[in-house]
Amino acid sequence: MLRSPSRHVRGWITAAIAASVLVGCGASTEPTSEEAAAAGARTDVTVKPIKATRELTDANGVEVSLEKEPQRIVCLFALCDDILTELGIVPTATNSALLAHPDFLGEKRAKEVGVIPGGFIAPEVEAILSHKPDLVIGLEDTHGKLAPALKDATTFWPMQPETWQDSVGYLRDAAALTGRTAEGEKAERTFRTKLAEAERTKSDKTALVIYGSDENFGVATPGTDVAGGLFPKLANYPWKSRGVEGSYSLEEILARDVDVLFVETIAFGDADGKLSEKLAKNPLWEKIPAVRNGDVHEVNSEVWAKGRGTRSLGIVLDEATAALR
């Protein structure tokens, strides 16, 4: 059972933004009710026991049924790699670079994991099946179209995380299906504890997370970006989604007096260089308080933009809270 696609992956959003950046007028600096709602209630550190099972229905209504505990798992997006790492499992193959991060497998061990050709958007079905997977995990909006080709050969589990709560839910479900219940509970508890501590020391600074490959950038917003959804709990974060058809202009960002700026460079094709360096060519860039004060932080996009799981989000919390002090 598949949920109807709701949002494209961030890479597609960036590509859309590259075609046309919406230039808007200034905005109020007062927090709105939506911003207050995004901050939400304090995080509960209680972790409910996870029970091992071979069948479940996840939070998005997707039914997953396995004949046996999966031994060979193929990951088609980074949340899968994040979850498996938290559970002490190494994927049979992946198309993500997340595992090379030192807080995951590291470069040397990551090279031992099979690579699925075709890239994130179009992973090759033949290559996936060549690894004889018991379970394939992908992003619903992107990889749902592969389901018919995989149906008779393996189990395909489409995920669609939009909040950190979604990511925790998928971690718990994966722990149940793999029998790694203790590992799942520990990972959830570690993340919840870290988030609760970050909330207790919330900064009064205004923060912003942007992503892209050139001057046509996007803003990471709660509800469309898992890492971005953490920030209302960490600092003043007055940014909300404008969908795939528009983003914020530098004029609007300048009006918000951003104190700390996090930049994710997401390259496409032959694009190279840091996003912050390209934006520096715009005369408005240097007028942003964070830029004037040297508080611009280029972060690892594999972790911040693509990871989405409890280990990646834990790294985001560590790096963000350190910069926001």
Side-chain angles (χ1 to χ4, degrees):
M1 184 185 302
L2 299 181
R3 192 183 58 148
S4 299
S6 59
R7 293 183 177 90
H8 294 293
V9 295
R10 187 189 306 187
W12 291 5
I13 294 175
T14 303
I17 291 171
S20 174
V21 176
L22 177 65
V23 178
C25 56
S28 169
T29 58
E30 291 300 316
T32 66
S33 58
E34 291 181 355
E35 291 158 15
R42 288 296 178 91
T43 300
D44 186 356
V45 298
T46 303
V47 175
K48 297 179 180 179
I50 301 173
K51 183 179 180 180
T53 184
R54 293 289 175 267
E55 296 183 359
L56 58 79
T57 300
D58 70 19
N60 286 324
V62 175
E63 298 176 357
V64 185
S65 178
L66 301 171
E67 294 182 359
K68 60 181 181 179
E69 182 178 300
Q71 301 295 321
R72 301 179 64 79
I73 303 175
V74 170
C75 292
L76 301 183
F77 80 129
L79 174 59
C80 172
D81 298 280
D82 189 297
I83 288 173
L84 295 190
T85 302
E86 290 284 61
L87 300 179
I89 301 172
V90 177
T92 300
T94 184
N95 62 359
S96 162
L98 182 66
L99 294 177
H101 189 280
D103 288 332
F104 285 80
L105 297 184
E107 289 188 8
K108 184 176 181 181
R109 289 187 61 201
K111 290 179 180 178
E112 299 173 1
V113 179
V115 176
I116 301 298
F120 171 70
I121 300 297
E124 296 179 6
V125 172
E126 294 79 3
I128 295 170
L129 295 179
S130 72
H131 291 281
K132 303 185 185 311
D134 303 310
L135 178 63
V136 177
I137 300 176
L139 184 65
E140 180 185 329
D141 281 353
T142 306
H143 307 121
K145 62 183 180 292
L146 300 178
L150 298 172
K151 182 177 180 180
D152 296 327
T154 187
T155 298
F156 175 59
W157 184 5
M159 297 181 175
Q160 192 66 45
E162 296 174 355
T163 66
W164 68 264
Q165 292 93 336
D166 291 340
S167 295
V168 168
Y170 285 127
L171 168 72
R172 292 178 59 85
D173 288 343
L177 289 169
T178 59
R180 303 294 180 102
T181 57
E183 291 87 347
E185 291 170 8
K186 179 181 178 181
E188 180 183 355
R189 184 175 297 107
T190 298
F191 173 73
R192 285 183 175 275
T193 301
K194 184 172 291 189
L195 179 55
E197 177 59 30
E199 288 174 317
R200 283 193 289 271
T201 57
K202 182 177 179 178
S203 174
D204 59 0
K205 296 179 179 179
T206 296
L208 171 64
V209 181
I210 63 173
Y211 61 89
S213 59
D214 54 31
E215 64 273 12
N216 298 299
F217 62 89
V219 171
T221 54
T224 61
D225 184 284
V226 179
L230 296 175
F231 273 81
K233 294 178 175 292
L234 311 180
N236 177 35
Y237 202 75
W239 319 100
K240 60 182 180 180
S241 173
R242 291 177 173 175
V244 299
E245 297 179 355
S247 187
Y248 288 83
S249 66
L250 279 178
E251 287 87 352
E252 291 176 281
I253 290 172
L254 184 60
R256 291 288 191 175
D257 289 329
V258 174
D259 300 300
V260 184
L261 182 55
F262 301 94
V263 183
E264 306 168 12
T265 299
I266 303 177
F268 291 88
D270 297 328
D272 57 6
K274 296 179 179 179
L275 174 58
S276 57
E277 295 173 346
K278 295 176 181 179
L279 289 174
K281 298 175 183 178
N282 189 314
L284 293 177
W285 178 252
E286 63 183 16
K287 296 181 180 180
I288 299 172
V291 178
R292 292 202 313 265
N293 299 328
D295 232 339
V296 177
H297 306 268
E298 278 276 354
V299 296
N300 187 318
S301 63
E302 296 296 327
V303 173
W304 280 61
K306 303 173 186 178
R308 313 186 205 195
T310 51
R311 182 165 296 208
S312 294
L313 296 177
I315 295 170
V316 171
L317 287 174
D318 288 340
E319 296 178 353
T321 52
L324 287 165
R325 290 194 183 102

